[in-house]
Amino acid sequence: MKTLWLVFFLLSTCCYSQTVVIAKITKNSIYVGADSRAIEVKIDVRNWHSDTTFSDFCKIRKIGKYYFAVVHDFAEESIELINNASINAKNLNDLIYIYVRKFRLFLINKLQEIKSENEKYYYNYYPPDSLLCHTIFFGYESDTAILRGVTFLNEEDKNNTINVSVTYWHDTAIAAGEATEIKPIVKDPNTWHRNPKKVIYTLIKKQCDRHPTTVGKPIHIIRVSKNGYKWVMNGCD
């Protein structure tokens, strides 16, 4: 599985991302936590040699009254388009609609560009029916807690035409990204009898230990309520 990849081509830039995001709606709040592992890969398209470095990247963001977290590929472009969409969005549904329309078009164009530059590389990283990214939105509207997600898949058809499908979903507890081992724990209601901050920190830390290349500290955790938000661990403001 991939982590957050910031890939610099000779003439273009791509972002590949993986992370761990855990989100939970509690009685009075929404808690969301994420790791911050980032990998920067510089690729020379003339010979496809690469140079890799590690850094940190905050995957939980706030724009106006909206909050979101990015998981998997093209994180920076996703953040930019959400910021742009928020300018004219009247509510969260509006924000998601504007963002999805623009981001889906970006993904199609970007995949076509990558495929034309190096087809072998494209099929290695983006085979048909592969996951491109999740975006998780959360917050309050009309005093109601909202935890929603959008998933983008590469669906290249039989004629090798690139298409991107979109799936919308919602839940009260989410584990996304490098989270196979902890998803059953997050979905178990008994897990959340303990302090949500401690639960999220402990689970993400376990994934850092299990997957040290793709998941790493610091761990960021935010708590959102009807009255606003507070970074309860390693704020990103």
Side-chain angles (χ1 to χ4, degrees), residues 91-108:
N91 51 48
L92 185 58
N93 284 336
D94 205 21
L95 172 68
I96 294 174
Y97 172 78
I98 296 170
Y99 158 70
V100 167
R101 179 166 49 85
K102 293 183 177 180
F103 190 53
R104 178 178 176 272
L105 180 60
F106 160 78
L107 289 173
I108 292 173

Side-chain angles (χ1 to χ4, degrees), residues 63-68 80-102 137 141 148:
I63 179 68
K65 63 179 181 179
Y66 306 114
Y67 305 82
F68 61 95
E80 180 180 358
L81 287 175
I82 292 173
N83 289 342
N84 292 340
S86 70
I87 296 172
N88 296 316
K90 298 177 182 178
N91 51 48
L92 185 58
N93 284 336
D94 205 21
L95 172 68
I96 294 174
Y97 172 78
I98 296 170
Y99 158 70
V100 167
R101 179 166 49 85
K102 293 183 177 180
F137 295 89
E141 285 195 339
R148 298 175 56 184

Side-chain angles (χ1 to χ4, degrees), residues 24-237:
K24 173 62 180 175
I25 295 178
T26 64
K27 183 177 180 180
N28 298 311
S29 304
I30 305 169
Y31 285 82
V32 179
D35 81 304
S36 58
R37 168 71 78 230
I39 299 177
E40 180 179 88
V41 181
K42 295 181 180 179
I43 299 177
D44 187 336
V45 297
R46 296 169 296 186
N47 52 32
W48 293 92
H49 291 166
S50 63
D51 180 41
T52 303
T53 57
F54 294 87
S55 59
D56 297 334
F57 183 86
C58 185
K59 297 143 189 177
I60 303 172
R61 301 295 176 111
K62 178 183 183 296
I63 179 68
K65 63 179 181 179
Y66 306 114
Y67 305 82
F68 61 95
V70 291
V71 187
H72 284 301
D73 297 0
F74 306 105
E76 288 189 336
E77 292 88 348
S78 186
I79 291 168
E80 180 180 358
L81 287 175
I82 292 173
N83 289 342
N84 292 340
S86 70
I87 296 172
N88 296 316
K90 298 177 182 178
N91 51 48
L92 185 58
N93 284 336
D94 205 21
L95 172 68
I96 294 174
Y97 172 78
I98 296 170
Y99 158 70
V100 167
R101 179 166 49 85
K102 293 183 177 180
F103 190 53
R104 178 178 176 272
L105 180 60
F106 160 78
L107 289 173
I108 292 173
N109 291 334
K110 179 55 70 174
L111 292 176
Q112 289 172 341
E113 176 187 328
I114 294 171
K115 185 178 180 181
S116 66
E117 288 179 345
N118 190 305
E119 191 168 286
K120 181 178 179 180
Y121 178 87
Y122 166 79
Y123 281 111
N124 184 35
Y125 281 93
Y126 304 107
D129 300 320
S130 62
L131 173 66
L132 296 173
C133 54
H134 299 297
T135 307
I136 300 168
F137 295 89
F138 58 100
Y140 280 80
E141 285 195 339
S142 301
D143 292 338
T144 300
I146 297 171
L147 182 56
R148 298 175 56 184
V150 185
T151 299
F152 300 85
L153 296 176
N154 179 19
E155 290 195 345
E156 185 176 295
D157 63 23
K158 295 180 180 179
N159 297 319
N160 297 322
T161 300
I162 293 174
N163 184 38
V164 173
S165 69
V166 181
T167 302
Y168 300 87
W169 43 275
H170 61 89
D171 211 329
T172 59
I174 294 171
E178 195 80 83
T180 302
E181 301 91 344
I182 61 174
K183 282 184 178 179
I185 301 173
V186 172
K187 292 294 185 179
D188 185 353
N190 293 323
T191 297
W192 301 102
H193 293 163
R194 294 171 288 161
N195 182 299
K197 172 187 170 182
K198 292 182 178 179
V199 170
I200 291 172
Y201 174 80
T202 299
L203 293 176
I204 295 179
K205 183 179 181 298
K206 286 183 178 180
Q207 296 308 93
C208 292
D209 296 337
R210 288 176 175 135
H211 308 281
T213 300
T214 57
V215 184
K217 297 179 180 180
I219 297 169
H220 304 286
I221 302 177
I222 192 171
R223 176 172 56 82
V224 178
S225 69
K226 293 182 290 186
N227 299 319
Y229 75 99
K230 179 180 180 180
W231 290 102
V232 294
M233 182 173 291
N234 297 320
C236 294
D237 287 343

